[in-house]
Amino acid sequence: MPEACWTAKPRGPAGPELKPTLRFATSAAAAMMQHHLRRCGGSALAALRRLRHFPAATPASSPAAWRRPSLPSRPYSTAENSAELPANLVAIMEQRMKLIEQKSAYLQDQVNQPSASPEEYARANKEFHKLESTMGLIKELRSKQKEIEGLKSLVTNNREDKDMREMAAEELLEAIDEEKRLQHELFTSLLPKDEADERDCILEVRAGTGGEEASLFAMDIFKMYEKYAQKNGWKFDVIDIMESAVKGYKEASGTISGAGAFGKLKFESGIHRVQRVPVTEKSGRVHTSAVSVAVLPQADEVDVQLRNEDLRIDTYRSGGSGGQSVNTTDSAVRITHIPTGTVVAIQDERSQHMERVPKPQLQILYCIVYGVTMNKAKALKVLRARLYELERHRLHMDRSKLRSEQIGSGDRSERIRTYNFPQGRVTDHRVGITHHSIADVMEGESLDIFIDALLLQEEMDAIASFGA
Amino acid sequence: MGPLSSPSSAAAESKIKAKQPWRCSPSRPAPSPHPSSSVRTAARTACASPPSPSPPPPSPRSRRRCPATTPPPRGTQTRTRPPLFLRPATHPVPASALAAFRRRAAALVPASAPHLHRHLRWLLADASTTSDSDPALFRAPLDHIESLWLGHVRARRPFQYVVGNEHWRDLVVAVKEGVLIPRPETEAVVDMVKGVEGFGGGWWADLGTGSGAIAVAVARELGDGGKVFATDVSDVAVEIARFNVERYGVQDKVEIRQGSWFEPLQDVKGKLMGVISNPPYIPTEDLPGLQPEVGWHEPKLALDGGRDGLEHLLHLCEGLSSALKSGGFFVFERDLTSNICASIWQTNGNKQSEFLVDLISSKWSSSFRDVKAVLDFADIKRFVTGYHR
């Protein structure tokens, strides 16, 4: 059982090494997981594994559902009886279903009330629509359950008519399978979702301890994510890069745009540790340095409304009248959000590394930083994302203690991964997976090994909190 | 490069210089500053700028003199050498030489100007390519780059002229001597244009276009039927504006016409949805006190606003109502502090008086509405905007 827990897809002959045991950052989480396993009997795990093997539905089709798999037209075969949801989870789900049905009926009443004010109407309508897809599943499930009841009575009432009984029995089996499938679907849709998963994200990489070597590794990591983004068909745009003396990146940030970008990259937040012989090192000693990575979901103006009076925008001031009387190359912009004290600064460092030639006949040098207007736009984007993240984090922490111990709780100073170059391997400490081709990882090729495992663990956490 | 030639041939050479862009390339570092008033006066005349009463600043003009070769006959196409950042990278520079140059160049940076280190990095970035070949390939020989650096550090030659570009808004605008370097404050003008309802299909005028930065930026935002008419009286400006328009591929949207302000736009009088201008607005008497990068190197033609800095702004206001169609929009850039000398219109003791806004609102109140001052990012009243009734 345990070794089948990971859906890490083997890549070629040299597959990843799978740790047979689950390792967690805290022992409390481990104890919780063991307790959960006992409760669910492992069948939920197996069921989820099966779910994960299905290709993910295109996110554009149903943003409300959290990685709803596109199930095959044929329901589960009767041989896969272990796909049944454990009884206690079904009971909890039944409770939830009742609550949702009640709420939906209540909202429908509100919407249909003639005396409702426009705001009340709009609010009720919006909430009603949010529940629509779940209600649809519930209705399907209820009708299937009725069908099963009907078929059951047919079977029992027709002891004499063998043909009728056999037909009814057959249909009953099919209906029961269908019921299980619907229960799965409903279960998945009821799991706590992170609606930010579908969004684009902002990636921030900062060199930590280790000086120049850390900045060189920060550059490697930044490029690794760029390649990973390209591999997934996402758009990668650089926001800002601050170079160090040895042409490494002291700080670098970029936006990654594409469906579900944040959902996959959110696990990258934390400290990445590297052990290797620095380029500048003469004696060949291995040094340890660290790079901190932060991934924030992009926020729209709808999510975070910034009022002009809350912002202080600092740009280069000549001290005089400015304008035609001054020549400057300083287009740096710093925006301070006064209520929260968040500061975003876009420096005006050009970078040769990001040169792109879009039209072959015109050698236009696309540097990250253009004029003040663009820097201000970038700074506002980053500020919105940071404020959104603050708000999300606050909501996260407001939930039960259980969630704060779970993966992705956003502790930025947590050391999540170690890249050991002399031994040629990368280890993710949260899921305890080690991959033995560091070159692949740095090319963005093998990151999915870690990300898939992390995603699965997140799902398991979600199940645990579902039952809590 | 020989010493300064005699003043008699100075005028002719300066005229040649104006017509032969980018040809002059010094082969060794510029000599120490040598004041030569006659040369500079001649140069200014060639650029058709008003004579300035201020003494000429010391600057090694010699490095920009052309060698004594026969100029090409007028009318034939001069072989325009591209700005530094666009030249082909065909000059190998071994790493050791580059490192030595870096050290020398960094040593020249005075403690009071740490931003020059950033400029050195950018100069080397613009002057080379990203490929990690050794020897690295540069767009000019290393000694030329060294002389460019010296000109920047010693003679305060603007960095944008050295590399030949200015990063402005979302463009990389090519610039060179003879054209005003686009200012960051001016970037806001494009957003104001975009705020005008239906701007995408309208005809816009960019008066005194200089490098063409505003014209190109606005053109990129326009839709079907939108056009920009860019005018400038200076030959160099017309040439550079054309270069930038072609670089950004907006030739179908931008029409460059040489001439003074509204004069080349007689055929579109009354049809313009908007008039944009960043005219020279520095008072003549303030010119000598300017930052050297501006005062010694940028064209006076683009800076001198006459008495109080208002000469051109007032001229533009006069021609505005006949140029704009009904409901048309205008935006001018100016400097408020230059207006404080205005006499009658100044309110009591208020140094930040809104002369231009008050003037337009009262003198032409029947022609314009919603005339107001708009702040720039430094909270200075930088722009005047309004609508034609």
Side-chain angles (χ1 to χ4, degrees):
Chain A
M1 178 68 218
E3 73 277 1
C5 277
W6 304 113
T7 56
K9 306 175 193 59
R11 307 225 178 248
E17 174 192 289
L18 300 173
K19 284 271 188 263
T21 55
L22 308 172
R23 276 212 246 134
F24 296 91
T26 66
S27 57
M32 182 273 298
M33 188 51 67
Q34 279 187 318
H35 165 71
H36 162 70
L37 273 176
R38 264 182 269 125
R39 266 174 44 189
C40 299
S43 53
L45 240 68
L48 263 183
R49 249 199 323 122
R50 235 173 302 274
L51 279 176
R52 292 281 292 121
H53 274 126
F54 288 115
T58 51
S61 55
S62 55
W66 183 40
R67 266 190 309 285
R68 249 176 101 162
S70 55
L71 296 167
S73 50
R74 209 172 61 79
Y76 286 112
S77 65
T78 48
E80 309 227 24
N81 256 332
S82 54
E84 180 182 321
L85 280 177
N88 55 346
L89 280 181
V90 174
I92 295 169
M93 194 164 75
E94 181 64 38
Q95 278 178 343
R96 293 277 176 93
M97 278 163 61
K98 285 213 182 73
L99 282 171
I100 292 174
E101 282 169 326
Q102 278 172 4
K103 188 164 183 200
S104 177
Y106 170 74
L107 284 171
Q108 191 154 37
D109 276 340
Q110 285 228 304
V111 168
N112 291 338
Q113 236 185 46
S115 58
S117 71
E119 301 90 41
E120 281 173 20
Y121 175 82
R123 206 170 24 87
N125 209 15
K126 193 168 121 181
E127 284 192 47
F128 181 71
H129 278 295
K130 266 199 213 162
L131 293 176
E132 233 178 331
S133 60
T134 318
M135 271 309 289
L137 279 173
I138 293 178
K139 283 193 185 117
E140 263 188 74
L141 187 58
R142 292 272 187 240
S143 74
K144 191 56 69 175
Q145 284 169 339
K146 272 210 195 79
E147 201 186 312
I148 288 173
E149 288 305 316
L151 285 169
K152 273 189 187 152
S153 64
L154 263 182
V155 170
T156 49
N157 291 346
N158 283 336
R159 289 197 188 281
E160 322 80 40
D161 192 340
K162 191 163 173 272
D163 287 332
M164 179 68 123
R165 208 177 68 212
E166 270 179 21
M167 234 173 50
E170 233 181 83
E171 278 186 33
L172 181 63
L173 284 173
E174 274 182 30
I176 288 177
D177 280 338
E178 186 66 19
E179 186 198 17
K180 284 186 197 148
R181 183 188 72 78
L182 284 169
Q183 278 177 337
H184 266 296
E185 254 196 79
L186 185 60
F187 180 69
T188 319
S189 81
L190 287 177
L191 288 176
K193 322 173 225 319
D194 195 348
E195 55 89 33
D197 278 355
E198 297 303 321
R199 291 171 179 244
D200 305 339
C201 63
I202 292 184
L203 168 76
E204 291 179 351
V205 172
R206 247 177 225 105
T209 54
E212 304 292 357
E213 162 65 3
S215 72
L216 286 169
F217 188 62
M219 179 172 72
D220 292 338
I221 286 248
F222 197 66
K223 293 196 172 155
M224 172 180 85
Y225 288 123
E226 183 174 7
K227 290 175 194 156
Y228 182 69
Q230 276 158 5
K231 198 168 79 78
N232 280 296
W234 300 326
K235 198 154 105 67
F236 188 93
D237 289 309
V238 178
I239 295 178
D240 198 12
I241 291 184
M242 218 193 303
E243 279 192 353
S244 67
V246 293
K247 295 295 201 72
Y249 293 174
K250 268 202 284 212
E251 274 184 43
S253 53
T255 54
I256 301 175
S257 315
F262 178 69
K264 283 210 161 180
L265 287 171
K266 62 186 176 185
F267 301 109
E268 302 302 302
S269 297
I271 305 282
H272 296 240
R273 194 174 64 147
V274 61
Q275 288 161 327
R276 66 177 179 186
V277 180
V279 175
T280 50
E281 171 75 21
K282 291 183 187 54
S283 64
R285 266 188 323 133
V286 174
H287 286 246
T288 304
S289 30
V291 166
S292 87
V293 171
V295 177
L296 313 166
Q298 266 199 53
D300 304 325
E301 278 117 20
V302 181
D303 306 306
V304 181
Q305 275 153 352
L306 295 172
R307 302 186 312 163
N308 277 329
E309 49 265 32
D310 286 342
L311 299 178
R312 193 178 70 229
I313 301 180
D314 295 316
T315 49
Y316 168 79
R317 309 271 179 107
S318 59
S321 13
Q324 282 175 5
S325 56
V326 170
N327 170 285
T328 174
T329 53
D330 194 330
S331 57
V333 169
R334 186 176 62 212
I335 301 186
T336 311
H337 185 241
I338 300 163
T340 59
T342 314
V343 178
V344 173
I346 304 289
Q347 310 298 315
D348 45 0
E349 291 289 343
R350 306 179 184 194
S351 171
Q352 269 293 85
H353 297 275
M354 296 298 142
E355 177 184 318
R356 263 169 277 155
V357 185
K359 296 180 192 179
Q361 67 273 24
L362 297 171
Q363 277 177 268
I364 299 178
L365 189 76
Y366 268 84
C367 296
I368 327 153
V369 161
Y370 297 104
V372 172
T373 315
M374 299 297 109
N375 285 354
K376 185 172 158 193
K378 281 183 190 174
L380 283 172
K381 208 185 211 180
V382 176
L383 180 67
R384 275 201 193 94
R386 294 236 184 112
L387 293 176
Y388 185 64
E389 182 63 17
L390 275 174
E391 184 61 24
R392 264 169 44 92
H393 195 70
R394 194 183 62 76
L395 286 173
H396 223 85
M397 291 297 123
D398 280 351
R399 298 218 182 108
S400 71
K401 187 176 180 301
L402 199 65
R403 279 197 71 83
S404 69
E405 284 168 349
Q406 289 167 359
I407 214 129
S409 59
D411 182 8
R412 296 281 168 71
S413 53
E414 186 192 336
R415 196 180 67 221
I416 56 167
R417 220 176 273 157
T418 299
Y419 300 71
N420 190 317
F421 279 75
Q423 293 172 6
R425 56 161 201 240
V426 185
T427 307
D428 192 304
H429 305 290
R430 294 164 295 180
V431 290
I433 286 190
T434 302
H435 184 54
H436 284 281
S437 174
I438 196 167
D440 276 354
V441 175
M442 298 312 291
E443 286 299 309
E445 290 293 325
S446 312
L447 273 178
D448 280 319
I449 292 174
F450 303 114
I451 290 176
D452 282 346
L454 290 158
L455 281 169
L456 180 64
Q457 183 151 329
E458 187 187 47
E459 287 187 44
M460 283 164 40
D461 293 342
I463 295 178
S465 52
F466 183 82
Chain B
M1 198 71 67
L4 297 176
S5 53
S6 61
S8 54
S9 60
E13 288 215 39
S14 312
K15 271 202 167 168
I16 294 167
K17 194 167 54 192
K19 291 282 183 216
Q20 280 185 358
W22 304 104
R23 271 273 207 91
C24 320
S25 59
S27 55
R28 66 162 197 260
S32 51
H34 185 122
S36 172
S37 54
S38 54
V39 173
R40 255 165 306 285
T41 318
R44 266 199 295 279
T45 324
C47 289
S49 62
S52 163
S54 57
S59 70
R61 294 290 196 191
S62 57
R63 72 180 178 287
R64 290 170 49 230
R65 315 305 298 305
C66 294
T69 53
T70 48
R74 299 256 166 94
T76 60
Q77 189 161 27
T78 54
R79 207 169 45 84
T80 308
R81 197 162 159 215
L84 174 66
F85 76 109
L86 292 177
R87 290 177 210 162
T90 51
H91 301 266
V93 173
S96 52
L98 183 59
F101 164 69
R102 266 213 178 96
R103 277 196 299 274
R104 283 197 303 276
L108 288 174
V109 172
S112 57
H115 63 282
L116 293 180
H117 289 291
R118 200 171 62 214
H119 286 187
L120 178 59
R121 271 207 306 278
W122 291 353
L123 169 60
L124 291 171
D126 273 4
S128 65
T129 57
T130 46
S131 58
D132 287 318
S133 58
D134 186 27
L137 287 172
F138 274 67
R139 305 181 194 273
L142 191 61
D143 55 353
H144 177 54
I145 295 178
E146 182 137 22
S147 70
L148 287 175
W149 181 247
L150 280 166
H152 179 50
V153 175
R154 293 225 182 103
R156 308 285 292 265
R157 186 169 175 229
F159 179 73
Q160 294 92 337
Y161 286 156
V162 166
V163 291
N165 68 51
E166 150 91 340
H167 286 232
W168 188 82
R169 227 183 129 86
D170 59 343
L171 307 172
V172 179
V173 182
V175 293
K176 70 175 207 195
E177 263 86 353
V179 141
L180 185 80
I181 297 166
R183 302 301 201 243
E185 289 87 346
T186 317
E187 292 179 21
V189 153
V190 183
D191 293 313
M192 282 181 241
V193 166
K194 283 168 75 172
V196 174
E197 208 174 304
F199 80 94
W203 285 6
W204 291 84
D206 176 17
L207 305 180
T209 189
S211 59
I214 297 175
V216 171
V218 169
R220 272 150 65 94
E221 307 286 342
L222 294 177
D224 284 331
K227 265 183 90 79
V228 178
F229 297 94
T231 72
D232 203 295
V233 69
S234 147
D235 294 335
V236 183
V238 165
E239 181 210 327
I240 295 294
R242 220 158 250 156
F243 185 74
N244 281 315
V245 163
E246 275 167 26
R247 273 186 76 221
Y248 280 95
V250 288
Q251 301 95 312
D252 52 333
K253 288 245 178 305
V254 179
E255 211 181 291
I256 301 174
R257 297 184 180 183
Q258 188 162 9
S260 168
W261 305 123
F262 292 108
E263 177 230 313
L265 301 178
Q266 297 303 315
D267 58 327
V268 294
K269 251 170 101 153
K271 299 184 188 155
L272 294 172
M273 177 184 271
V275 168
I276 312 162
S277 185
N278 178 16
Y281 55 68
I282 299 180
T284 314
E285 61 188 22
D286 289 350
L287 288 175
L290 288 176
Q291 176 188 0
E293 279 82 357
V294 181
W296 298 354
H297 297 272
E298 290 197 81
K300 296 289 183 296
L301 179 67
L303 296 165
D304 193 338
R307 201 174 83 88
D308 302 333
L310 292 172
E311 186 184 309
H312 301 287
L313 283 160
L314 291 172
H315 176 81
L316 287 174
C317 290
E318 301 270 348
L320 205 51
S321 46
S322 54
L324 283 174
K325 71 177 196 192
S326 167
F329 174 79
F330 69 89
V331 52
F332 297 147
E333 183 181 320
R334 47 55 182 282
D335 195 2
L336 188 61
T337 52
S338 65
N339 297 345
I340 63 175
C341 316
S343 49
I344 329 166
W345 305 89
Q346 196 173 347
T347 55
N348 295 342
N350 180 9
K351 291 246 180 254
Q352 295 290 303
S353 67
E354 253 306 349
F355 170 70
L356 213 53
V357 172
D358 293 341
L359 178 68
I360 300 175
S361 303
S362 49
K363 186 172 176 193
W364 289 292
S365 60
S366 55
S367 307
F368 300 106
R369 59 171 173 91
D370 289 340
V371 182
K372 55 185 187 213
V374 178
L375 303 176
D376 65 15
F377 53 68
D379 286 338
I380 292 177
K381 290 181 184 173
R382 181 65 56 195
F383 306 99
V384 179
T385 64
Y387 287 86
H388 191 234
R389 284 195 199 275

